[in-house]
Amino acid sequence: MGTNAAACLHCGSAIPAGLAGSFCCRGCEGAYALVQGLGLDTSYQRRCLDPAARILRPEERELEAAHDFSAHVARDGDEAVMHLMVEGIHCAACVWLIEALIGRRTGVTKARVNMTTRRLVVRWNPAETDPGTILAPVFQVGYRLVPYAPALLARETERVEKDLLKAMVVAGFAAGNVMLLSVSVWAGHFSTMGVATRDFMHWVSALIVLPAVLYCVRPFMRSAFAALRAGRTNMDVPITLGVLLASGMSLAETMHHGEHAYFDSAITLLFFLLIGRYLDSRARGRARSAAEHLLALDAVAVTVVEADGTLRSLPPNRVQPGATVLVAAGERIGVDGVVADGRSDVDTSLISGESVPSAVETGARVFAGTINLSGPLRLTVAAVGERTLLAEIVRMMEVAEQGRARHVFLADRVARWYAPVVHVAALATFLGWVFGAGLAWQVALLHAVAVLIITCPCALALAVPVVQVIASGRLLRQGVLLKSATALERFAEVDTVVFDKTGTLTLGRPQLVADGGWDEAALRQAAALAGASRHPLAKALAAACPGVAVAVTATEEPGRGMTAGPVRLGSRAHVGVADDAAAGPELWLSRPGLPPVRFTFTDSPRRDAAEIVAALRRRGLAVELLSGDREPTVRQAAAALGIADWRAACSPAAKVERLQALRAGGRTVLMVGDGLNDAPALAAAHVSMSPSSAVDVSQTAADVVFQGDRLNPVIETLDVATRSRRLVMQNFALALGYNLFTVPMAVAGMVTPLIAAIAMSTSSLVVISNALRLSRRRGH
């Protein structure tokens, strides 16, 4: 290498001497930064100026593999999907930035980040792009992506909080000591302290403060520099700029024997900023996503029974479907499965919201996250990992918590424009005080720093997400699962509630009525035939007389009934009885030489159905009943529940037509239904709910799914929705009011950087504390 050349810091290639200490290309600069642990991705450019002569070094080949997530890509039809965890997310602006960077890539169909669980879900067309190309801009900005592992969530939060706590302790210690010196300097302004003594005090203050600032500003500086390297800004840029400006100005003043040294303000400002961020992190922990709490319920290991009878402990995600696992009493179940052997009680409150344990035996289904209470169970594994019901609930919760509701769009748009506005306002403040008011540039700079700090829109960015997270968590604890991000907003607008009957207002489980029309002998004969049928009424009849042997010669004629020799059980037409349009659910038994016997059935209302209907009417909501059942049955149910407006024999199309008519009349309708015929109506309604007993298509169409045998979740969801809307508007008012009140004061020079730091942190804590009120229950 000649004397007029230098070497690239990364690859050693020759570069002009004037570029000594630099790189031959952006690829080498990025690779070098990554080696140094700065988190930049270099997959977009890994070659020097002469690609043909370039051979990747071993460490560069390791970098190529460092961001290879191909092993974590799953296929979903024609699309590829990947679940990753993002480290370094601070606020809603981070979420918007990551989603925007990925969403603009060719072939990407979906990019969604959950702020509390930090899960990134990306969907794309594998024919158009690949994971490395999709994720490159996220690495460039400075975020770190790792394969999604729930166990990392708590560790990452704990690590960040420890770093903040250590920095806060150092800043507090330095601030306490420098304040002692500052008191002397302040007193010297009103006495005869000489310049030499003042300079000595300033230099001692600098020796205490500057190392502390360099250590304590790191949490803000890392994020700020990563954003600036990518040509962007975030909320940490003005904070870092303000602290460094105050410290740098104070050092310059000290070196030139000036009196405007504010080391105490710089370190105290940083101390209170760290307090605010630490308390914000702890407060978010209280408001942590219900989905994140659910993730913690996944079992750490499961006991697999091998073919030779030996036991082996494995992580749940390594267990294959079809394997046999042993679950001891008191152990949390780590897989979805079917009981192959054993009998026990299982705490299913996570799934059903019911506090009473469920009895399970051979053939019963159990789910990951539930607790085996009383006896050992052998399970045949049906699903593990991301395919379990627990994982599905987590995914739906994340969609509900972090979806793009209208209020979130508003907050994002405002937060997106804050950076240029903040910097322009700070510059205008500085220039206005220096050239307009003739103030010393040092004091004007402090006013500008105060503007930089106080205008950070953390409270605005938190206004909506924190309410969504707490509302979702509260409802989940009551057995209500939100599936749509906008469901709560739409629930708050409801003025009409439309119910289906069977399986919604009623349990959907027919019960035999002891009306005196049959005797024990007739019941036993009828039960023998009913045991061979899967018809709901036949099953109810068989359940009313357990222990009766099934008639092995019984045959079933679809749509009519059962026949065993001369004995028949079924409809009126099947046994030769005249039809009666006013008859309710019934079965008839025909025996030779004996009159036909009628068995009537009732579908019991849910325990609190009448109470809930009355409560809805007291709230001023209109209540309707739309059912596909016959008119006598629907009339009887409506009368029992106090519903005056009802319609019977409704087809799926008729239900949709009625909902459209209500909408045309200006009504906002909540549809509650469970049957296959309710799915179109659920999709057509303004907002919809289904019980967990609903068929899958109805649960898919519904915005909300509720557990248990009660209808109280309808009232609970309406109440939470109303309070959530009120809290969101309060949070917007608090955040905007804070800025409208404090920013003019900062521009006018009435707020010091220290007070600005306290005000900014307090605004975020006030918004979070206000939202936490939603977690407290109150009587209806």
Side-chain angles (χ1 to χ4, degrees), residues 165-175 208 211-213 215-216 267 271 274:
L165 191 59
K166 287 189 289 187
M168 188 171 65
V169 170
V170 171
F173 177 80
I208 296 173
V213 166
Y215 176 78
C216 300
I267 191 62
F271 177 53
L274 287 165

Side-chain angles (χ1 to χ4, degrees), residues 166-417:
K166 287 189 289 187
M168 188 171 65
V169 170
V170 171
F173 177 80
N177 282 277
V178 80
M179 278 297 180
L180 298 176
L181 299 171
S182 297
V183 169
S184 301
V185 174
W186 296 338
H189 285 295
F190 304 100
S191 59
T192 56
M193 177 180 286
V195 173
T197 305
R198 185 189 65 200
D199 287 349
F200 174 75
M201 293 290 187
H202 283 169
W203 277 114
V204 174
S205 298
L207 290 174
I208 296 173
V209 168
L210 294 180
V213 166
L214 292 177
Y215 176 78
C216 300
V217 79
R218 291 178 309 143
F220 307 100
M221 186 181 291
R222 280 195 295 260
S223 173
F225 280 3
L228 291 174
R229 268 199 304 269
R232 304 178 186 276
T233 60
N234 61 14
M235 295 184 181
D236 289 331
V237 171
I239 291 175
T240 303
L241 188 61
V243 171
L244 294 182
L245 282 175
S247 303
M249 182 199 71
S250 299
L251 179 62
E253 281 290 291
T254 301
M255 294 172 65
H256 292 87
H257 311 289
E259 60 176 324
H260 297 287
Y262 301 103
F263 293 109
D264 53 344
S265 294
I267 191 62
T268 309
L269 164 66
L270 191 54
F271 177 53
F272 278 98
L273 287 170
L274 287 165
I275 290 177
R277 179 151 294 187
Y278 178 76
L279 292 178
D280 178 64
S281 177
R282 299 295 293 179
R284 290 192 198 199
R286 285 194 60 201
R288 187 161 292 142
S289 162
E292 186 170 340
H293 286 303
L294 283 177
L295 291 172
L297 298 178
D298 206 0
V300 176
V302 296
T303 303
V304 179
V305 182
E306 301 287 7
D308 59 1
T310 58
L311 303 180
R312 183 182 178 195
S313 182
L314 289 175
N317 58 359
R318 292 183 57 190
V319 179
Q320 296 298 318
T324 300
V325 301
L326 180 66
V327 184
E331 188 173 310
R332 190 176 294 279
I333 298 173
V335 297
D336 284 6
V338 178
V339 178
D341 186 32
R343 179 177 296 175
S344 182
D345 295 305
V346 175
D347 180 358
T348 60
S349 57
L350 169 69
I351 305 298
S352 67
E354 294 288 342
S355 59
V356 179
S358 300
V360 297
E361 56 186 12
T362 303
R365 291 205 66 185
V366 294
F367 301 98
T370 57
I371 301 174
N372 179 26
L373 296 177
S374 53
L377 294 172
R378 281 179 182 255
L379 310 178
T380 300
V381 177
V384 297
E386 288 295 310
R387 296 184 180 274
T388 62
L389 177 62
L390 178 64
E392 181 62 25
I393 291 176
V394 168
R395 284 192 290 271
M396 287 192 290
M397 285 294 299
E398 288 178 342
V399 169
E401 289 177 351
Q402 287 301 116
R404 288 298 182 252
R406 294 192 300 271
H407 292 144
V408 178
F409 275 123
L410 175 60
D412 279 356
R413 283 197 297 270
V414 175
R416 195 178 306 171
W417 288 99

Side-chain angles (χ1 to χ4, degrees), residues 611-626:
E611 176 187 344
I612 295 303
V613 169
L616 291 171
R617 297 180 65 182
R618 285 197 299 271
R619 289 169 175 250
L621 302 178
V623 180
E624 290 193 16
L625 172 59
L626 301 181

Side-chain angles (χ1 to χ4, degrees), residues 33 97 203 231 267 286 399 411 532 536 611 627 653 655 670 672 726 753 774:
L97 175 61
W203 277 114
I267 191 62
R286 285 194 60 201
V399 169
E611 176 187 344
S627 177
K655 291 184 178 183
L670 161 63
V672 187
R726 185 162 58 246
L774 185 60

Side-chain angles (χ1 to χ4, degrees), residues 322-575:
T324 300
V325 301
L326 180 66
V327 184
E331 188 173 310
R332 190 176 294 279
I333 298 173
V335 297
D336 284 6
V338 178
V339 178
D341 186 32
R343 179 177 296 175
S344 182
D345 295 305
V346 175
D347 180 358
T348 60
S349 57
L350 169 69
I351 305 298
S352 67
E354 294 288 342
S355 59
V356 179
S358 300
V360 297
E361 56 186 12
T362 303
R365 291 205 66 185
V366 294
F367 301 98
T370 57
I371 301 174
N372 179 26
L373 296 177
S374 53
L377 294 172
R378 281 179 182 255
L379 310 178
T380 300
V381 177
V384 297
E386 288 295 310
R387 296 184 180 274
T388 62
L389 177 62
L390 178 64
E392 181 62 25
I393 291 176
V394 168
R395 284 192 290 271
M396 287 192 290
M397 285 294 299
E398 288 178 342
V399 169
E401 289 177 351
Q402 287 301 116
R404 288 298 182 252
R406 294 192 300 271
H407 292 144
V408 178
F409 275 123
L410 175 60
D412 279 356
R413 283 197 297 270
V414 175
R416 195 178 306 171
W417 288 99
Y418 92 95
V421 172
V422 166
H423 297 143
V424 169
L427 179 62
T429 300
F430 176 77
L431 296 176
W433 278 107
V434 171
F435 297 106
L439 196 66
W441 71 269
Q442 297 92 337
V443 179
L445 185 62
L446 282 184
H447 295 338
V449 169
V451 173
L452 283 175
I453 300 300
I454 209 164
T455 50
C456 185
C458 294
L460 183 61
L462 288 170
V464 181
V466 71
V467 175
Q468 284 183 310
V469 167
I470 295 172
S472 299
R474 169 174 167 169
L475 288 174
L476 186 67
R477 288 191 295 272
Q478 305 302 317
V480 180
L481 177 62
L482 293 178
K483 293 173 53 189
S484 167
T486 61
L488 283 179
E489 289 183 10
R490 287 180 282 137
F491 260 94
E493 299 165 352
V494 165
D495 57 23
T496 303
V497 182
V498 175
F499 287 100
D500 173 50
K501 185 184 75 71
T502 305
T504 304
L505 287 172
T506 67
L507 293 173
R509 296 193 289 267
Q511 293 178 320
L512 180 63
V513 177
D515 57 2
W518 46 267
D519 56 23
E520 187 67 22
L523 176 61
R524 295 182 66 85
Q525 280 187 292
L529 273 72
S533 173
R534 296 185 60 83
H535 190 279
L537 296 184
K539 291 169 68 174
L541 182 58
C545 191
V548 174
V550 177
V552 293
T553 61
T555 59
E556 184 168 9
E557 184 179 344
R560 293 178 64 87
M562 308 293 298
T563 301
V567 181
R568 292 189 172 198
L569 176 72
S571 66
R572 289 172 175 254
H574 189 53
V575 300

